[in-house]
Amino acid sequence: MKPYPSLLLALGLVACGSEAVSTDAGPDDAGPGPVLTGPFGEPLAGITEEERAAFERGRALATRSWSPEDGLGPSFDASRCMDCHARPTVGGSAARYRDVVLAQIVRDGEPLFSSFGDAAVAFDLRHGLSRRPATPAAFGRRNPSPLYGVGLLATLPDEVILERVDPGDEDGDGISGRAGFEHGRLARYGRKAQVGALEDFVRVSAFSLLGLTSQPLSTPQRMALPSFEESAFVGWGSAGSLGDVDAVPDPELGAEALFDLVSFVMLLAAPEPEPRSTRADTGAQVFEAIGCASCHVPALTGRLGPVPLYSDLLLHDMGPGLAEDYRTGVASGAEFRTQPLWGVAAAGPHLHDGRADTLDEAIRWHGGEARAAKERYEALADGERGALIAFLESLGGRARPGSLPEGAPIPSGLGAPVPLSAPDLERFVAGRALFDRDLSPREGLGPLFNADSCRACHASPVLGGAGSLGVSALRQGIRQGDGSVRAPRAGPRLHRHRNPEPVGWQLPEPHPDADVFELRSAPPLFGAGLIERVPEAAIAAREDPDDLDGDGVRGVAHRLDDGRLGRFGHRAHLASIEDAVVDALAGDLGVTLGLESDADEVSDPEMSDVEVASLVFFVRSLASPPSRSVDAEGERVFGEIGCASCHVIFALEDGTPVALYSDLLLHDVGGDVGVPAGNASGRQLRTAPLWGLASSAPYMHDGRASTVEAAVRRHAGEAARSAEAFAALPVAEREALLRFLDAL
């Protein structure tokens, strides 16, 4: 490669570490006018009271967990909008585990595609496993984009975008931007500029990722949307009715809810830039000099003035390194819309498929029309490259290794630790940071994985909590001639993701003989240390495999091959917290431990014994959920209908009560035969602890019960008598029982 001369010398600049704040105006300081930027997740300044109210209602919808009874599914990738848009706040981007795999059937060598594409979703409430594309198929992958400022794109007249189109590279600069079109109109939304209207972008995302059906907004509703000025709103929706075949009447996302959700997205302010340092100012000039601004145009002028998005919103060929087989809109597999750079530092991982963990990596992946700029970047002196990155970081927000801000306080309620000494409290905080940290492939994630952090599956409502339905794991099994199920020899996990090498961004394939698929919800971890301390003799004393007392309940302890008693996991197949942590790290994150090894390029082991011990200490130190005053009438009913036969309170050897409301035994509670674990059959499940029940929805091992009442009614097998007794209760007693459970 030909060395590129020092831009600092060429521009007469000095490369230094000064962080003095510059007073130079940027594109967002261009004279008086509306303030288009603001803190992450906040609305545009100066909106009306009515618009603010719609924004707040929309934000509540974006954080709401949808259930099958509300219309979720039947196939889905997430159960909340914020599952994919929560970094660093609601409306943002997401970690790698929230990536969506897209797939198109290939016929006669050509992919069959729509303007919106098809998510190869991971869950199906009817079968446990979702629809998966037939082969051959064309695949793509999408890391969720932040939504901050996207409503401002609607203020840009078509001609402002189209004036930069240069498909034949008439100016000879190597940049051949093309406009994206959808149904004959200019498209400005989506990684491939495939959607022309923000309303459609919201509706189709809700439908394809959550399974929520909707109707187009009415003309009066569209006229009432925040339009910034009368008749100025660009891009009314053209997508027709979106319906499905589940039991919930369509539309599942009603007109008022859709209006509020669209309003929320429209009104999100663009990321607020930082005050420019001298170093960032230098980086801005380097950015311009090496050609980045040819596509990442600092601002486009709309009806509200300059919009500082750092994008031309055009399609560009990014070269074979970033190309994919998947196509949508008018874009080829190698063409992508120039991604806006406002707030880019907080939006990692970067690029359309999240392959880059740093901004430096993202730049080095550029090819095609961006190849010349990339090569100039690579030829820069280290100080110049650092200055350019500092400039990009100044465009709003900073990357964090997880969800917790630096110095995050220790909770005092749910998620708090047991009483600890000062040194142990430091260990707790260190373990919490590791629990929250996102891992990347270069740190050992994968090659097969379900999540890229412990937090990914245990964060509701706080770190260490349960997982939403959208982060459930999948298990696969093979049905035998006698009706039992066995796990494949390679193990029961059917992972959601794989790293791209060597097969690209394809979904992990089920075992060819697998015909049983089971969802596994992530349970809360609060009080795990107390569960570990329950005396084994106390658990064994409650066994009754032959139902000698005649109550229909036949609990048995799960004894592992090494003689230990299992007490963690939905089938009690893990004996200790350390076993559970190691199982999750190795099985769900694909991290090698101890003497294990895998085929990636990261040195094994990928996590040290010290780090594992830190995670174990954090989980072991989580206090049990704080209880409230229980309903005495509900407690009486709980005992009378037989719930207390399995959901019991233990005591430690020193007499300390452990109110987990579980006997930690295996029971056959009916339902379909699932995938076995350890020495537990596919019909046996551990009695789920009930403490903290109010904050751990969805319920049951597969998350298919959205409410506590639905979970009780779903009990069968050994629990059939109790479920029938619950159904026969007078309304007042049933409500008292549910109040009792809610207070645990």
Side-chain angles (χ1 to χ4, degrees):
M1 183 184 302
K2 193 172 173 182
Y4 194 75
S6 169
L7 284 172
L8 298 183
L9 293 175
L11 298 171
L13 301 170
V14 178
C16 64
S18 171
E19 296 297 329
V21 174
S22 167
T23 57
D24 293 346
D28 47 325
D29 303 316
V35 178
L36 307 184
T37 63
F40 285 124
E42 292 301 308
L44 294 163
I47 61 176
T48 67
E49 290 185 10
E50 291 81 6
E51 289 170 339
R52 180 77 196 213
F55 177 89
E56 294 298 342
R57 293 194 302 269
R59 175 153 55 187
L61 283 167
T63 61
R64 169 184 171 179
S65 288
W66 293 82
S67 70
E69 292 78 11
D70 301 324
L72 179 71
S75 293
F76 60 95
D77 260 292
S79 56
R80 303 176 297 179
C81 298
M82 72 171 292
D83 281 348
C84 298
H85 297 286
R87 288 168 61 120
T89 62
V90 179
S93 59
R96 189 174 274 102
Y97 80 103
R98 294 277 28 153
D99 288 0
V100 174
V101 175
L102 305 174
Q104 297 164 331
I105 304 303
V106 174
R107 183 174 298 167
D108 298 328
E110 290 294 322
L112 305 179
F113 62 95
S114 68
S115 59
F116 303 116
D118 300 301
V121 295
F123 303 120
D124 189 311
L125 293 174
R126 299 163 295 188
H127 310 298
L129 180 68
S130 78
R131 65 180 190 268
R132 291 194 170 217
T135 53
F139 290 92
R141 193 177 185 93
R142 297 291 179 268
N143 183 254
S145 295
L147 303 175
Y148 307 128
V150 298
L152 296 175
L153 307 189
T155 72
L156 300 172
D158 287 1
E159 56 269 22
V160 170
I161 299 171
L162 292 173
E163 69 184 7
R164 304 190 68 84
V165 169
D166 185 17
D169 189 19
E170 298 297 329
D171 57 8
D173 64 353
I175 308 297
S176 309
R178 296 199 305 134
F181 286 91
E182 186 243 351
H183 298 313
R185 65 181 172 185
L186 184 68
R188 57 192 77 195
Y189 303 104
R191 293 283 192 175
K192 286 182 175 284
Q194 75 273 19
V195 182
L198 196 56
E199 176 191 340
D200 286 347
F201 191 75
V202 172
R203 290 184 62 217
V204 174
S205 295
F207 180 67
S208 62
L209 300 180
L210 281 80
L212 296 177
T213 62
S214 63
Q215 296 281 352
L217 291 174
S218 67
T219 298
Q221 282 182 306
R222 288 171 171 169
M223 296 301 293
L225 281 170
S227 59
F228 308 113
E229 67 179 55
E230 188 174 0
S231 302
F233 178 58
V234 175
W236 283 1
S238 63
S241 298
L242 299 174
D244 59 21
V245 294
D246 61 19
V248 182
D250 297 331
E252 295 155 345
L253 190 62
E256 293 79 9
L258 177 61
F259 176 88
D260 291 338
L261 199 55
V262 173
S263 296
F264 167 71
V265 175
M266 287 185 65
L267 290 170
L268 278 167
E272 191 172 43
E274 297 179 354
R276 285 267 188 88
S277 68
T278 300
R279 189 175 186 224
D281 276 340
T282 298
Q285 296 180 62
V286 174
F287 182 87
E288 177 78 30
I290 68 173
C292 302
S294 296
C295 301
H296 292 285
V297 180
L300 298 178
T301 302
R303 296 179 179 85
L304 298 182
V307 178
L309 73 167
Y310 286 87
S311 170
D312 58 10
L313 298 179
L314 297 179
L315 294 168
H316 296 278
D317 186 328
M318 297 300 293
L322 290 176
E324 60 187 11
D325 296 329
Y326 181 86
R327 303 209 306 262
T328 187
V330 301
S332 71
E335 286 182 305
F336 296 92
R337 186 200 66 170
T338 305
Q339 183 70 3
L341 296 182
W342 50 18
V344 66
H350 305 288
L351 301 176
H352 66 282
D353 53 13
R355 70 176 67 190
D357 289 296
T358 66
L359 293 170
D360 176 76
E361 288 178 21
I363 296 170
R364 293 177 188 273
W365 269 108
H366 282 51
E369 296 176 38
R371 179 180 176 182
K374 184 273 295 282
E375 291 177 347
R376 292 172 192 142
Y377 171 81
E378 292 176 330
L380 291 171
D382 290 346
E384 295 167 325
R385 280 197 301 272
L388 190 150
I389 298 299
F391 160 66
L392 295 176
E393 291 174 339
S394 76
L395 298 181
R398 290 300 173 106
R400 290 207 301 256
S403 67
L404 293 173
E406 187 174 350
I410 297 172
S412 57
L414 203 61
V418 298
L420 297 171
S421 65
D424 281 347
L425 197 58
E426 290 184 8
R427 290 181 65 194
F428 178 86
V429 171
R432 181 182 66 163
L434 187 55
F435 189 93
D436 181 56
R437 190 182 105 197
D438 296 321
L439 294 179
S440 69
R442 64 179 179 173
E443 296 170 308
L445 179 71
L448 296 174
F449 61 98
N450 286 323
D452 54 10
S453 67
C454 303
R455 177 203 71 252
C457 297
H458 295 283
S460 181
V462 296
L463 285 183
S468 67
L469 197 56
V471 296
S472 296
L474 283 165
R475 297 291 184 268
Q476 58 182 333
I478 303 169
R479 195 177 303 278
Q480 305 299 289
D482 61 0
S484 65
V485 175
R486 70 170 177 85
R489 181 172 298 179
R493 278 184 170 87
L494 176 53
H495 293 89
R496 298 191 67 185
H497 302 290
R498 74 160 79 238
N499 291 333
E501 300 299 336
V503 295
W505 290 119
Q506 296 182 23
L507 289 169
E509 290 294 328
H511 187 280
D513 297 327
D515 53 3
V516 174
F517 300 97
E518 186 178 32
L519 290 172
R520 292 284 178 85
S521 63
L525 305 177
F526 309 124
L530 284 175
I531 294 176
E532 196 173 45
R533 292 171 57 196
V534 172
E536 181 174 330
I539 300 171
R542 303 197 62 86
E543 289 188 277
D544 186 15
D546 298 318
D547 190 21
L548 297 180
D549 59 8
D551 65 354
V553 179
R554 300 177 174 84
V556 296
H558 188 164
R559 290 180 173 80
L560 308 178
D561 289 341
D562 60 8
R564 293 182 300 161
L565 186 141
R567 56 184 78 198
F568 295 102
H570 289 300
R571 289 195 158 87
H573 59 289
L574 301 164
S576 67
I577 292 172
E578 183 175 1
D579 288 350
V581 169
V582 167
D583 180 73
L585 289 173
D588 292 316
L589 277 74
V591 174
T592 57
L593 309 164
L595 299 177
E596 296 175 346
S597 62
D598 59 18
D600 61 24
E601 297 180 356
V602 182
S603 299
D604 299 313
E606 295 158 343
M607 186 170 286
S608 69
D609 292 345
V610 172
E611 291 173 308
V612 174
S614 183
L615 284 171
V616 170
F617 184 83
F618 168 73
V619 175
R620 185 172 284 144
S621 300
L622 285 168
S624 58
S627 61
R628 297 172 299 197
S629 298
V630 300
D631 187 291
E633 174 68 2
E635 187 173 23
R636 178 189 66 79
V637 175
F638 182 83
E640 286 187 355
I641 68 172
C643 302
S645 297
C646 302
H647 294 283
V648 303
I649 296 175
F650 281 108
L652 302 182
E653 291 180 349
D654 62 3
T656 302
V658 183
L660 72 161
Y661 288 92
S662 168
D663 59 11
L664 300 177
L665 298 177
L666 294 172
H667 297 274
D668 182 345
V669 291
D672 297 331
V673 180
V675 182
N679 293 317
S681 75
R683 283 201 173 277
Q684 292 177 306
L685 291 165
R686 183 198 66 164
T687 303
L690 299 184
W691 55 11
L693 200 65
S695 62
S696 60
Y699 305 106
M700 310 297 285
H701 68 288
D702 55 11
R704 296 195 192 198
S706 304
T707 65
V708 173
E709 180 171 359
V712 175
R713 292 181 181 276
R714 196 178 164 202
H715 281 56
E718 296 176 36
R721 291 182 186 178
S722 294
E724 292 166 1
F726 174 82
L729 287 173
V731 172
E733 291 188 347
R734 204 157 54 232
E735 291 178 347
L737 175 58
L738 293 174
R739 286 196 302 272
F740 166 72
L741 295 173
D742 186 69
L744 297 181

